[in-house]
Amino acid sequence: MYNIFSWLNDNSGFLTFLTVLASLITCILSICSALAAWAQVKEMHRQFQEENRPNIEVEFLYEKRTFYGLRFVNNGKYTAKNVNIFLEDAFINALPEPAFSSLLRNSSQKTCIIGVGHHYDLFIGTQKYRDCYNKPPTKGKITYQANGQTYESKFDIDMENYSAIFSVQNGQEDLLKKLKEQNSELKKYNMQSYL
């Protein structure tokens, strides 16, 4: 054991070299660890930004068994500002009802705000639209802003091959029908009592 200490004492330059080498390796490993931690922080920030933003999605709409349309729903966690909806001209030009074509052309020049959990509806037609053959796909894009960022999403809905649409009365409609029947019967009864 004495020989080892004696040899190290005689060769102190080697010991210094080993100390420097160990310090250099420790420094390099620390830098690699710091870079990995920084990459993790950047990824966590990106995920936070992606999770906490507006997210507008498009749904097909069949309203009151009369109107067909597109519903733009904000499923995100922030209000979408400066929302622009652009529909392709081929789709707008193929609509059978000029009133809806005009409405859609005008809406592409407007902006709106869609709050969290809220929606914006664009109507595209009535029964004439449903009966129209060879409907072109509804293509377009939505741009919107939040937190200093601009987001864009594209949509493409194949209206010709969209699943079948069935019309079913809800409970409110059933109740209104029964109330109308009841009012009709009451009117008949009142008319008979006056005669």
Side-chain angles (χ1 to χ4, degrees):
M1 186 72 143
Y2 175 76
N3 290 339
I4 293 174
F5 287 118
S6 174
W7 182 82
L8 286 174
N9 193 27
D10 292 340
N11 297 309
S12 64
F14 179 72
L15 187 58
T16 304
F17 171 74
L18 286 178
T19 304
V20 168
L21 182 63
S23 296
L24 183 63
I25 290 171
T26 303
C27 185
I28 290 171
L29 290 176
S30 296
I31 289 172
C32 289
S33 177
L35 289 174
W38 179 249
Q40 247 183 339
V41 167
K42 282 176 63 176
E43 178 60 21
M44 287 171 55
H45 180 70
R46 186 197 67 76
Q47 287 176 358
F48 178 82
Q49 292 290 353
E50 186 64 28
E51 181 69 25
N52 294 293
R53 71 175 191 91
N55 184 17
I56 298 181
E57 297 176 357
V58 183
E59 299 173 355
F60 181 70
L61 176 65
Y62 183 47
E63 189 76 20
K64 298 188 185 236
R65 294 185 301 188
T66 305
F67 298 104
Y68 295 87
L70 301 171
R71 176 167 282 172
F72 299 88
V73 182
N74 183 357
N75 292 321
K77 295 183 178 178
Y78 279 89
T79 297
K81 299 178 181 175
N82 297 323
V83 178
N84 288 314
I85 301 167
F86 303 100
L87 296 170
E88 284 190 354
D89 287 334
F91 170 73
I92 294 174
N93 294 336
L95 293 176
E97 297 167 283
F100 289 100
S101 299
S102 175
L103 175 77
L104 294 175
R105 280 192 190 87
N106 291 338
S107 70
S108 68
Q109 299 167 2
K110 297 178 182 177
T111 62
C112 66
I113 295 174
I114 304 176
V116 177
H118 293 166
H119 62 268
Y120 179 78
D121 295 338
L122 278 178
F123 293 100
I124 58 178
T126 60
Q127 190 65 30
K128 286 183 183 178
Y129 175 75
R130 183 176 182 177
D131 296 337
C132 180
Y133 292 101
N134 296 323
K135 296 178 202 72
T138 307
K139 290 184 181 180
K141 69 177 181 176
I142 314 160
T143 60
Y144 49 98
Q145 297 174 340
N147 302 328
Q149 297 262 1
T150 300
Y151 301 98
E152 179 179 302
S153 59
K154 295 182 179 182
F155 59 92
D156 184 354
I157 302 172
D158 184 3
M159 303 303 267
E160 186 65 29
N161 296 314
Y162 204 80
S163 63
I165 299 168
F166 297 101
S167 176
V168 179
Q169 284 186 222
N170 61 24
Q172 184 180 12
E173 290 173 322
D174 291 338
L175 180 63
L176 286 173
K177 182 180 176 186
K178 294 289 185 190
L179 284 173
K180 285 181 183 179
E181 290 173 2
Q182 182 181 7
N183 285 339
S184 176
E185 289 296 319
L186 286 173
K187 283 181 184 178
K188 287 179 189 176
Y189 179 74
N190 283 338
M191 295 296 269
Q192 289 176 357
S193 65
Y194 286 123
L195 296 174

